[in-house]
Amino acid sequence: MLFLTLSMRDQLNMMSKLSLSKLSNGIKVLSSYWMSRINGKPKHYGLPISLSIEPTTACNLRCPECPSGLRSFSRPTGKMNLDLLHKILREVKSHCTYINFYFQGEPYLHPQFLDMVKLCGTNGIYSATSTNAHFLDSEKAKKTVESGLDRLIISIDGADQGTYEGYRKEGNLSKVIEGTKNILHWKKELKSKTPHVIFQFLVVKPNQHQIDEVRHLGKELGVDEVKFKTAQIYDFENGNELIPSLDEYSRYREKSSGKWEIKNPLDNHCWRMWSGAVITWDGRVVPCCFDKDAAHSMGNLQKETFGKIWNNAHYKNFRASILKSRSEVEMCKNCSEGTEVWG
């Protein structure tokens, strides 16, 4: 009941960022999506209600299913400059309600990350990020609370060091727990209701036995929520040692042939193509967080406005391809939408 109450408070905080222009835009986005889904033609009368913005591609860990961890990007790597963020926020603040400062990389490796968060709040937009929590010493934790960050997702993929580092290569669980304690301490000390702190547990076969332990750890520490996320596996067709044996926490299932397939039926529609977008550190607009290498860049905000990119022919054609045959779009073939487990 406590977790439910805290979750509702977080939702109310997000709703407090709404304005008449954002509500009007949200209605346009929703109606456009359903009209397009029904008639199979990519109409769009609104602008995205949420965005993911990538502060940096750099990361201190080497997780095996992550381009940042594997150092395997085929696109340029780097960190966003504040001038570009200023431009983005000026263009989206009238219609965007939610910004997640995360795509690839560890956000806290950007030296001006918390300045980015403050800019978001100044523009009346709800802010969130996802971190491995290795950089949340007491000073940084205090500054995080003071920045006005609304939601902080902390990756905790094990209840002991051996299990944790099995996936979070080169990671230190004690730093994650210490960072969590620091955030919760400064929330209490500063009498702040934010950030809403979430423990996120990425379920893979080597750590699935610790699901209950992580629930208990979250309750013991006093985080606001504990969530469980299914893992994206790049090479799943022939099975993979990371695929959980607990079916409800797996994106994949084994076929009678012995091959594996994703559970998502990949129906010919996608809410994300109408409601949001991803912006890379260097200003490229891509349609979805599954496009890790920005293979479907719709334009660059260093050269064009967001509105122009959102409504250009390239974006319209991409939405049309989703409505026609989503299963043939490469980045969609590993999509988890509709198969996630939360709570």
Side-chain angles (χ1 to χ4, degrees), residues 63-197:
C63 305
E65 294 294 319
C66 173
S68 293
L70 295 170
R71 293 10 176 206
S72 63
F73 288 112
S74 61
R75 62 181 170 97
T77 56
K79 63 179 183 293
M80 180 174 283
N81 67 65
L82 290 189
D83 288 341
L84 177 56
L85 181 62
H86 271 290
K87 177 184 184 295
I88 294 168
L89 293 176
R90 282 197 305 269
E91 295 179 7
V92 307
K93 64 181 181 180
S94 66
H95 58 80
C96 183
T97 301
Y98 177 107
I99 286 180
N100 179 23
F101 282 107
Y102 178 76
F103 178 29
Q104 298 298 299
E106 167 52 49
Y108 279 90
L109 283 174
H110 192 301
Q112 296 170 297
F113 169 60
L114 293 177
D115 292 326
M116 301 173 80
V117 172
K118 289 177 184 177
L119 280 173
C120 193
T122 300
N123 284 276
I125 303 173
Y126 180 100
S127 60
T129 197
S130 181
T131 178
N132 60 48
H134 280 60
F135 303 99
L136 292 175
D137 58 23
S138 183
E139 181 183 3
K140 190 60 67 71
K142 181 183 180 184
K143 289 181 177 178
T144 296
V145 176
E146 291 173 335
S147 74
L149 181 70
D150 293 295
R151 180 183 296 180
L152 180 65
I153 299 172
I154 295 175
S155 296
I156 181 159
D157 302 328
D160 60 64
Q161 177 61 27
T163 303
Y164 175 79
E165 68 182 353
Y167 185 80
R168 297 286 168 180
K169 304 293 185 183
E170 301 185 10
N172 186 329
L173 180 61
S174 65
K175 285 189 175 182
V176 180
I177 294 174
E178 178 186 359
T180 303
K181 289 179 177 179
N182 287 337
I183 287 286
L184 296 174
H185 165 77
W186 283 110
K187 274 185 68 176
K188 183 177 180 180
E189 190 74 15
L190 297 171
K191 297 180 173 57
S192 176
K193 294 181 179 179
T194 58
H196 183 78
V197 180

Side-chain angles (χ1 to χ4, degrees), residues 179-280:
T180 303
K181 289 179 177 179
N182 287 337
I183 287 286
L184 296 174
H185 165 77
W186 283 110
K187 274 185 68 176
K188 183 177 180 180
E189 190 74 15
L190 297 171
K191 297 180 173 57
S192 176
K193 294 181 179 179
T194 58
H196 183 78
V197 180
I198 298 173
F199 260 0
Q200 181 171 275
F201 188 89
L202 187 71
V203 183
V204 289
K205 191 171 184 179
N207 71 12
Q208 64 182 23
H209 64 289
Q210 293 188 336
I211 288 174
D212 288 338
E213 289 179 62
V214 167
R215 281 199 185 100
H216 177 75
L217 178 61
K219 184 176 181 180
E220 183 181 79
L221 292 175
V223 301
D224 298 315
E225 288 187 75
V226 179
K227 292 188 174 184
F228 299 92
K229 183 177 175 65
T230 63
Q232 176 182 354
I233 310 296
Y234 284 100
D235 183 17
F236 64 83
E237 290 87 354
N238 295 310
N240 188 293
E241 61 185 7
L242 292 175
I243 297 177
S245 60
L246 300 176
D247 185 63
E248 71 174 300
Y249 294 106
S250 175
R251 297 186 186 186
Y252 313 96
R253 61 184 166 219
E254 188 174 11
K255 299 189 289 185
S256 58
S257 64
K259 295 289 186 179
W260 289 71
E261 64 180 359
I262 193 163
K263 293 176 182 177
N264 192 334
L266 297 181
D267 295 329
N268 295 332
H269 57 83
C270 180
W271 169 240
R272 292 184 187 183
M273 296 303 105
W274 275 256
S275 65
V278 175
I279 302 173
T280 64

